[in-house]
């Protein structure tokens, strides 16, 4: 992904309105006082198991080993089978949600959302989510001859799925070793959205009104599993890039400000506050938008912001052929993964 929604246009046109721009908006660089719920003397108090960045890195590599995972491709189908098998290996109940969706150009996209549930009988649930498909075109590559080539998508979006898989592995391992435990009534749902990145390419001779993005999340949000009502959701998007910092995204603050506070506080408690500055980001069209607006599940987006990057405010590899394993940083994976551990192991 992704696309920025202008604030004024958002108010006029609603979520999937016109007037969209690639990247973050010109974000305020100062923190929002309403989210400044701690002081500078807050102590680091990590809880839960240690997130293994080497393992998350290996899960990222494993997805890339299938090649591009763009819609309807062989790599896409092989990676789907692998994702399902890995979550099952780590003790999750896995269900799939298949749909034929229509791309911006009329292409029928054979989409599969995956939900992997840990402790599926628990009545209180938290949703972690990420998209798992890859961009079919490197349409932001500095070399225009690459614009129609598929990308490997190590960061966008293998990294998000990798972090979720490592958390699932740790939940199983901690339970078996009787070392760290979630609240018994708490279950975690890992949702992998498909068809997120078939959005209108920059070279297409047609406007992009944002409807072409996040197709799997749109379908999921309009067709929720019966009775599904998690407390909140956290979207992990591009969570393995070099030099990444995760500013507070505007749609997240609009729909789920308390979850923003919770997650940024958890980052500080886990010792990774430097990766999560208390600063405003832009408003992004991403999978969390239909989750908030259609499914009515409060959901935030953990997504990087590079304010000084000329290539893209999503970082230098966004939608380029350079989105490969050479630019995945284990330190970023660790920061995000340990923060998620802090969140779920302090949930009551």
């Amino acid at each position: 992904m992704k696309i920025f929604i202008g604030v004024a246009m958002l108010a006029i046109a609603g979520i999937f309105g016109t007037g969209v721009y690639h990247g973050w908006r010109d974000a305020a660089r100062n923190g929002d006082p309403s989210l400044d719920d701690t002081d500078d003397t807050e102590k680091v108090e990590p809880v839960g198991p240690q997130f293994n960045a080497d393992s998350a890195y290996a899960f990222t590599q494993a997805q890339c080993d299938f090649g591009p995972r763009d819609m309807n491709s062989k790599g896409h189908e092989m990676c789907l089978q692998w994702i399902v098998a890995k979550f099952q290996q780590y003790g999750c109940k896995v269900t799939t949600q298949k749909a034929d969706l229509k791309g911006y150009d009329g292409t029928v996209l054979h989409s599969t959302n995956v939900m992997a549930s840990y402790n599926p009988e628990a009545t209180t649930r938290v949703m972690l989510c990420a998209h798992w498909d890859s961009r079919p075109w490197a349409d932001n590559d500095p070399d225009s001859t690459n614009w129609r080539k598929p990308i490997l998508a190590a960061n966008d979006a293998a990294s998000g799925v990798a972090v979720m898989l490592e958390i699932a592995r740790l939940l199983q391992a901690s339970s078996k070793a009787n070392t760290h435990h979630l609240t018994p009534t708490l279950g975690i749902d890992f949702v992998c959205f498909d068809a997120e990145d078939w959005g209108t390419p920059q070279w297409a001779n047609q406007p992009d009104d944002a409807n072409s993005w996040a197709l799997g999340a749109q379908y999921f949000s309009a067709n929720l599993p019966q009775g599904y009502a998690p407390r909140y959701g956290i979207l992990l998007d591009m969570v393995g890039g070099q030099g990444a910092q995760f500013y507070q995204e505007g749609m997240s603050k609009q729909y789920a400000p308390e979850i923003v506070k919770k997650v940024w506080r958890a980052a500080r408690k886990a010792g990774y506050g430097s990766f999560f500055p208390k600063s405003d980001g832009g408003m992004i069209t991403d999978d969390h938008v239909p989750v908030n607006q259609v499914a009515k599940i409060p959901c935030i987006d953990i997504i990087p912001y590079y304010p000084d990057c000329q290539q893209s405010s999503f970082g230098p590899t966004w939608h380029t052929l350079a989105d490969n394993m050479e630019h995945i940083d284990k330190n970023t994976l660790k920061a995000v993964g340990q923060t998620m551990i802090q969140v779920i192991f302090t949930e009551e």
Side-chain angles (χ1 to χ4, degrees):
M1 193 5 19
K2 315 308 147 202
I3 299 177
F4 144 73
I5 305 173
V7 178
M9 187 60 70
L10 179 70
I12 296 170
I15 155 53
F16 292 116
T18 59
V20 291
Y21 304 86
H22 289 279
W24 290 86
R25 68 175 170 86
D26 186 14
R29 302 288 280 277
N30 297 321
D32 182 343
S34 69
L35 292 174
D36 191 7
D37 59 329
T38 187
D39 59 39
D40 292 337
T41 62
E42 188 173 45
K43 295 181 180 178
V44 173
E45 296 176 337
V47 299
Q50 284 295 308
F51 184 88
N52 188 326
D54 290 332
S55 178
Y57 185 91
F59 288 142
T60 307
Q61 178 72 69
Q63 292 171 80
C64 290
D65 286 346
F66 294 112
R69 283 91 58 211
D70 50 311
M71 302 301 298
N72 302 342
S73 70
K74 181 179 179 181
H76 181 267
E77 180 60 30
M78 293 173 64
C79 189
L80 169 63
Q81 296 174 15
W82 179 84
I83 290 171
V84 169
K86 294 305 288 186
F87 277 118
Q88 289 174 335
Q89 178 184 339
Y90 299 134
C92 293
K93 177 184 177 182
V94 178
T95 57
T96 58
Q97 184 187 55
K98 294 185 178 293
D100 285 344
L101 307 176
K102 186 174 290 188
Y104 83 97
D105 56 353
T107 300
V108 175
L109 308 174
H110 304 302
S111 171
T112 305
N113 294 325
V114 178
M115 177 182 280
S117 298
Y118 176 82
N119 194 13
E121 282 73 39
T123 55
T124 300
R125 311 207 63 79
V126 168
M127 181 178 74
L128 302 182
C129 50
H131 81 89
W132 69 272
D133 61 306
S134 65
R135 182 72 168 158
W137 316 284
D139 56 325
N140 200 51
D141 199 279
D143 183 351
S144 61
T145 64
N146 292 329
W147 285 356
R148 295 175 185 267
K149 298 177 181 178
I151 69 173
L152 203 55
N155 193 31
D156 184 13
S159 64
V161 174
V163 167
M164 295 198 301
L165 281 170
E166 175 57 11
I167 294 171
R169 188 190 71 81
L170 288 172
L171 289 173
Q172 182 190 61
S174 297
S175 178
K176 287 183 175 180
N178 200 28
T179 50
H180 302 279
H181 299 281
L182 295 177
T183 299
T185 56
L186 178 64
I188 308 298
D189 298 308
F190 303 97
V191 179
C192 304
F193 294 124
D194 204 357
E196 191 270 355
D197 240 342
W198 193 275
T200 308
Q202 297 183 45
W203 43 257
N205 188 27
Q206 63 186 83
D208 185 355
D209 66 358
N211 282 299
S212 60
W213 303 87
L215 298 179
Q218 290 185 53
Y219 185 84
F220 174 86
S221 299
N223 299 274
L224 290 176
Q226 185 173 4
Y228 187 59
R231 279 183 174 175
Y232 58 86
I234 301 173
L235 175 63
L236 307 176
D237 197 350
M238 299 185 284
V239 293
Q242 295 169 332
Q245 285 187 302
F246 303 94
Y247 287 57
Q248 294 166 346
E249 187 271 332
M251 299 295 282
S252 305
K253 291 172 65 176
Q254 177 177 332
Y255 286 101
E258 293 304 315
I259 309 308
V260 173
K261 290 181 183 180
K262 178 193 290 283
V263 171
W264 264 250
R265 185 187 307 118
R268 298 190 297 270
K269 285 287 190 179
Y272 293 95
S274 63
F275 285 83
F276 290 80
K278 291 184 288 181
S279 301
D280 293 341
M283 304 185 90
I284 309 301
T285 299
D286 206 349
D287 290 319
H288 68 311
V289 174
V291 171
N292 277 296
Q293 293 199 332
V294 179
K296 307 301 182 184
I297 298 169
C299 185
I300 72 166
D301 193 2
I302 295 179
I303 187 168
Y305 175 44
Y306 293 76
D308 301 317
C309 179
Q310 293 184 348
Q311 181 69 17
S312 169
S313 53
F314 292 124
T317 69
W318 177 72
H319 291 183
T320 74
L321 295 187
D323 187 1
N324 54 39
M325 292 302 298
E326 293 180 16
H327 298 102
I328 293 296
D329 189 342
K330 293 180 183 179
N331 294 310
T332 307
L333 293 170
K334 173 70 173 179
V336 175
Q338 200 65 56
T339 296
M340 293 300 97
I341 292 291
Q342 188 82 16
V343 170
I344 63 177
F345 276 87
T346 54
E347 190 72 23
E348 296 180 354

